[in-house]
Amino acid sequence: MASRFRTAREVSCLSVAAVGFAAVGAAGALPLPVAVAAVIAAGAGLRDPRSLRVPPWAWNAAAMAFLAWCGARLWAGEPALALGGDLLSFVQVHRLESRRGPRDGLYVLVIAFGQLLLASILTLDPLFLVASVAFLVAAAWLLLLVRLETEARAHLPPPGERGRGKGSGTGEREPDLAELDGLLTPRFALGVWATTLAMLAVTVALFFLLPRFQVGAAAAVGPPVHVAGFSDEVRLGEVGLAQRRRDPVMRVRAARLGPGAEARIDALYLFGLALDRFDGRSWSLSDEVRMPHRGRRPTWPPPRKPPPDADLVLEVTRERLDTGAIFTAGDPVAVFGPFGGLETTVTGGLFLPAPPPRLTYVVYARTTPAGDPAPLSAEERGRYLAIPPVSARVRALARELAARGATPGEKARAMEDHLARGDLTYTLIQPDPGGEDPLDAFLFTARAGHCEYFASAMAVLLRAEGIPSRIVNGFLADEYVAPGGYLLVRQSDAHSWVEAHLPGRGWTRFDPTPAAGDGAGGHALTSLGHYLDLLRERWDRLVLDYDLGAQFGAWSRVSEGLEGLSRWGAGGGGRGRVPEAAFAPDPGRRRREVAGAVAGLAALLGLVVLGRRARERAATPGPHQLATPAARALGRAVLRAADRASALPDLAPPGATVRELFAAVEARWPQDLTGLVALADRYYAVRFGGALPDLQEVRRARALCRSVVRVTGRRGSRRGPSLAPGPPADGLPGSGQVG
C-alpha cells in the first residue's frame, strides 16, 4: 500500500501538470491527441511508479517523428509560439510517463511554468488568473513535499533491517516514506496554502504599487478583432448568410446629466459612420478624405466639470478592433481620450488616424436639439438627395407612403412604419435577386432582408420625396449587464439605420428594421454569463490595461477619497470625477469606506498579534526542533505526558525534569505504567544525542504516553516539566527500545 505522503506528492505533481495543460488548452495550443496522451501518462504509474512504462527506443522514435513534424509545420509558416506549445506539451507527457522520484516532480514543475508563460502570451482570457493562482498553490505544495522527501532520503534510516536499496549494491538507502505521513495534517496543509495566498496577495499589491513604465503593452498582443457588419461601405445584392459573431467589441457605461440622471439606460444607438452616396447597389462616402477635427482637443483624463450643453455622458471601452471609428451617441459635444487627435469624415464621423489598441474614452453629447439647427447648404442638400435611376414601382411606393403625412417628419414616420410593421420579414439569409435590381427585389419580390436592406429602402424612399437622408452604420446596444452597470456590445449587435434631415430638428434617427430582427440586438445572456463578462471586464481594466496613467489615476482617486472622507467626517461632502459620479450614484459609499478602513486596521492588528505569537512559539524550545518527523512525533508524545504528570499535586517538586516526573509516576502506579523511565532516557537520547527512532518505537511511545494521560486523569494545576536532561538510566545510553 502506497504511503499517504507519496500519494500527496503524486497528486501535487499531477495538479501542477494539469494546470499547465489547462493554460495552453485555454490558449488554443493543446491538440486533442496530446491531451489524451497526457491523461494516459498521468495515470501511468500513479499507483506503481514502475508500471506501464514505454521502452526508451519507443520514446526516441516518437521524439524524432515529433521533431520532424514540427519542422515541417515551421517550414509551412505556422507560428513559432504554437509550435513551442506543442513541444512543451510533448516533453511534459514524456516526463509524466517516466516520473519516478522527487526530482521528476521538479522537472514537471518547470515545464508547467513554461506552459503558463506561453499561455500568458497567447491568451488574454481572465481565466488565466484562475490558472495562475492554482499553479502557485499547487507548486508551493509540491516544492515543499519534494524538499521533505529529499531530506528524508538523505537522513532517515531504512525501515526494519533493510539497509540497502532494492537491487542496489552501493548502500543507497530507501526510507519508508510512511514515516512522513504524520506531517500531512489539515493544519499543516492549511498553513502552507495560507502562506502561499499571502505571498500572492503581496505580489498583487506590488503589481499595483510599483511604477509601470511600459504603457499598454498587453493591449497590443494578438491581431485586432475584425468587426463583421460594420464597415465604411454597404453592398446590396450579395447572396448568402450575413455573418454575426457574438464576440464582445465594446462596453459602454451611459448616464444622463441633469434631470432623470438616476434612470437606467437599457439601450443605445452607437453612431459609427454615416454614408451619403448610393449608386443602386452600394452605399459609400462621397468624399473619403478625412480632415482634422476642429472641435475641442481631446485630453485625458476628462475634466471634472462636464460641458454645459451636454445631457448624456458615455464611457466607452473598445476592444482592439480593425477600425479607428470613435463610436458616439446623440450629437457629440466633446470627446476625451488617451489619443493625440481626431479626424472627421464629410458626414461627421469621428476616427482615429490608425486603429488603436484597447482603449477607454469619454463622450459628452446632447440628445435634444440646441436651438434651431442650421439648414443644409445647397451642396449638402444635393448630396443627400442624389439617387440613381429607380424603378417606377419604387417611386409609386414613395408617393403612396408620403401621402399619409403632411410634414416631412410625418412622411418619414409613415415610411418607417410600412417597413418595420408591414409584411416584410427580417432574415440573415439573403435570397438571390437574380438579374433584378437588389432594392426592387427586396421590396416587391423577396420581401425579406437584413437591416442594410431596410435602411437602404427607407433612405431611397425619402430621397425620392425630396427629404435629405443617409444611412448610418453602428451598433444597437441593448444587452445590459446589471452586475457591472454597463451595456455589452457584441459583433452581432452591428446595425444600420436611417437619419433624415427635418426642418427644425436636424438629423433625426429612424429605424425601419423589424424589432424581432437579429440585427436589432436582443441577445440576452444568462446571469452567469453576465458575471463572467464582468470578470473579463475587470481583468482587462485592472490587469491588461494597467499602465502608468492608470496607476496615477488610481492614486489620484485614493487621494480624492481620503480628502472626501476628511470632509465627510467634518460634515462636508466630497466630489469626484463627473463620469464616476454619474455612472455609480451611491449615497452610502463613504460609510462603506469608513467600514472598510476600520476592517483593514482590525485585520492589520490581527496579523501583528499572530506574528508575535508565532515568534514566541519559535523561541520556545520544543519537539518541533527535532531532526526527523519520527523524532518530532516521539517528542510531542513525551512532553504531552510529562505536562499531564506535572499537573498532579505532590507528585514531584516544581521544575522537575521529564525523567523525574516519569520516575514518580512509575513509582506511584507500578502495576499500570512501566517503562516510563526508559522512555525518558530514550527521549533525551533523541533530543540531545541525535538518536533516530523508528516508526515502531514511536508507536509504542505514543501508546505508553496515552496510558499516562488515562491513568493520571485531569486534576491539579499545570506547572510544566523542566526540559533539562536528568541522569540516564543504567543500561540505557540512548540506544535502547521502549518496552
Side-chain angles (χ1 to χ4, degrees):
M1 181 178 179
S3 68
R4 190 171 59 183
F5 183 89
R6 180 184 178 279
T7 302
R9 192 248 295 160
E10 283 289 301
V11 171
S12 301
C13 180
L14 296 181
S15 300
V16 169
V19 172
F21 282 117
V24 295
L30 182 64
L32 181 60
V34 177
V36 174
V39 173
I40 296 175
L46 184 59
R47 297 180 60 86
D48 183 0
R50 293 176 176 80
S51 66
L52 299 178
R53 295 305 182 194
V54 178
W57 64 265
W59 272 119
N60 293 335
M64 296 297 293
F66 178 80
L67 291 177
W69 179 55
C70 288
R73 293 167 60 194
L74 186 62
W75 181 265
E78 285 201 30
L81 285 177
L83 297 180
D86 292 346
L87 179 61
L88 284 174
S89 299
F90 180 84
V91 175
Q92 187 73 296
V93 169
H94 173 264
R95 181 51 56 187
L96 287 174
E97 190 276 336
S98 60
R99 69 189 187 277
R100 285 177 174 79
R103 182 176 299 178
D104 294 305
L106 296 179
Y107 292 148
V108 169
L109 178 64
V110 172
I111 299 171
F113 182 67
Q115 291 176 311
L116 201 69
L117 289 180
L118 181 68
S120 68
I121 300 174
L122 297 178
T123 182
L124 301 178
D125 198 284
L127 293 180
F128 179 77
L129 174 63
V130 179
S132 301
V133 175
F135 177 82
L136 289 176
V137 174
W141 184 247
L142 176 61
L143 286 172
L144 182 62
L145 296 182
V146 167
R147 180 62 179 173
L148 287 174
E149 184 173 350
T150 303
E151 290 296 318
R153 290 177 180 274
H155 296 93
L156 283 183
E161 296 297 324
R162 187 183 61 179
R164 296 187 180 273
K166 194 174 186 179
S168 171
T170 61
E172 180 185 357
R173 300 180 302 173
E174 293 186 0
D176 186 2
L177 296 182
E179 297 192 32
L180 302 177
D181 290 351
L183 290 176
L184 302 182
T185 63
R187 181 177 180 182
F188 180 74
L190 290 177
V192 174
W193 291 332
T195 303
T196 305
L197 294 178
M199 294 173 62
L200 177 63
V202 173
T203 304
V204 171
L206 292 177
F207 172 83
F208 287 104
L209 292 178
L210 294 180
R212 309 280 291 180
F213 294 106
Q214 190 170 358
V215 180
V221 175
V225 177
H226 172 66
V227 185
F230 176 83
S231 67
D232 55 2
E233 189 177 22
V234 171
R235 292 181 179 272
L236 304 181
E238 295 182 349
V239 183
L241 175 64
Q243 297 295 328
R244 290 292 186 267
R245 300 179 60 182
R246 292 186 47 81
D247 299 335
V249 295
M250 280 183 290
R251 294 172 180 84
V252 182
R253 287 182 169 85
R256 301 191 183 279
L257 302 175
E262 293 79 12
R264 192 175 83 180
I265 299 178
D266 294 329
L268 204 62
Y269 284 86
L270 296 173
F271 180 101
L273 176 65
L275 304 175
D276 60 345
R277 181 172 61 189
F278 183 58
D279 61 7
R281 286 185 173 271
S282 64
W283 289 87
S284 59
L285 286 171
S286 58
D287 186 357
E288 297 182 356
V289 177
R290 298 175 186 171
M291 302 298 293
H293 183 53
R294 296 181 179 179
R296 184 180 308 177
R297 181 177 176 82
T299 60
W300 191 257
R304 295 172 178 267
K305 187 176 181 180
D309 50 349
D311 59 7
L312 177 70
V313 58
L314 309 177
E315 185 185 67
V316 182
T317 301
R318 280 184 23 142
E319 296 296 327
R320 189 173 180 233
L321 310 179
D322 62 354
T323 175
I326 294 294
F327 296 92
T328 62
D331 183 12
V333 175
V335 179
F336 301 97
F339 33 77
L342 292 175
E343 297 175 347
T344 182
T345 65
V346 67
T347 56
L350 296 176
F351 279 78
L352 295 172
R358 185 189 300 108
L359 65 85
T360 298
Y361 59 91
V362 172
V363 178
Y364 288 99
R366 55 173 173 261
T367 56
T368 56
D372 192 10
L376 296 175
S377 65
E379 186 272 334
E380 291 174 327
R381 188 172 181 84
R383 283 193 291 111
Y384 292 119
L385 287 176
I387 55 174
V390 295
S391 67
R393 291 189 297 178
V394 172
R395 291 192 178 274
L397 179 61
R399 288 193 298 271
E400 175 190 344
L401 297 176
R404 300 178 185 178
T407 65
E410 292 175 353
K411 295 177 181 180
R413 192 65 64 190
M415 296 177 184
E416 180 188 44
D417 290 342
H418 171 78
L419 294 170
R421 300 169 184 83
D423 56 354
L424 282 80
T425 58
Y426 182 90
T427 180
L428 288 176
I429 304 176
Q430 194 62 38
D432 187 358
E436 194 176 2
D437 178 82
L439 208 55
D440 274 37
F442 165 68
L443 287 172
F444 305 109
T445 305
R447 304 191 65 78
H450 48 75
C451 60
E452 293 174 350
Y453 280 84
F454 284 92
S456 298
M458 181 174 177
V460 170
L461 293 174
L462 287 169
R463 291 188 177 191
E465 286 301 305
I467 302 174
S469 63
R470 62 191 187 185
I471 71 169
V472 178
N473 276 354
F475 291 89
L476 175 55
D478 60 357
E479 183 179 339
Y480 187 78
V481 180
Y486 58 83
L487 289 164
L488 177 61
V489 186
R490 303 180 182 273
Q491 287 202 37
S492 56
D493 296 326
H495 191 46
S496 295
W497 61 91
V498 178
E499 287 187 347
H501 197 276
L502 304 178
R505 296 176 60 185
W507 290 110
T508 305
R509 182 183 66 246
F510 294 91
D511 191 352
T513 304
D518 190 60
H523 293 283
L525 292 179
T526 62
S527 177
L528 176 60
H530 285 173
Y531 277 105
L532 291 177
D533 185 77
L534 177 61
L535 173 63
R536 179 188 294 271
E537 189 266 344
R538 293 292 189 264
W539 170 261
D540 292 345
R541 181 166 59 88
L542 297 179
V543 178
L544 298 183
D545 294 336
Y546 189 74
D547 53 22
L548 191 59
Q551 195 172 36
F552 284 156
W555 280 109
S556 176
R557 287 191 293 273
V558 170
S559 176
E560 291 176 2
L562 294 176
E563 183 181 354
L565 184 62
S566 63
R567 287 197 296 267
W568 176 82
R575 181 180 181 183
R577 285 169 52 184
V578 173
E580 294 176 3
F583 300 141
D586 189 358
R589 179 177 178 179
R590 293 189 180 88
R591 289 193 292 272
R592 289 198 299 273
E593 288 176 349
V594 174
V598 173
L601 291 176
L604 181 61
L605 181 61
L607 290 176
V608 172
V609 173
L610 291 176
R612 291 189 60 182
R613 291 184 176 179
R615 286 195 300 271
E616 291 174 357
R617 287 196 298 268
T620 303
H624 61 278
Q625 296 176 333
L626 298 179
T628 65
R632 288 191 286 273
L634 185 143
R636 283 193 296 268
V638 168
L639 290 184
R640 190 178 300 114
D643 185 59
R644 183 58 53 83
S646 66
L648 298 175
D650 302 328
L651 181 67
T657 64
V658 173
R659 191 177 191 282
E660 292 170 345
L661 284 171
F662 279 10
V665 171
E666 188 173 349
R668 181 171 295 186
W669 289 280
Q671 300 296 330
D672 301 315
L673 300 173
T674 58
L676 283 178
V677 175
L679 175 59
D681 291 335
R682 181 59 176 163
Y683 165 71
Y684 289 146
V686 169
R687 180 163 176 73
F688 302 106
L692 297 177
D694 57 24
L695 186 60
Q696 296 300 324
E697 185 179 0
V698 172
R699 289 174 179 170
R700 289 194 297 269
R702 283 179 171 177
L704 184 58
C705 291
R706 283 195 295 269
S707 299
V708 172
V709 174
R710 185 183 65 254
V711 171
T712 58
R714 299 175 178 268
R715 53 184 179 267
S717 59
R718 297 183 182 272
R719 294 174 298 184
S722 171
L723 297 180
D730 294 338
L732 285 171
S735 58
Q737 297 285 339
V738 177

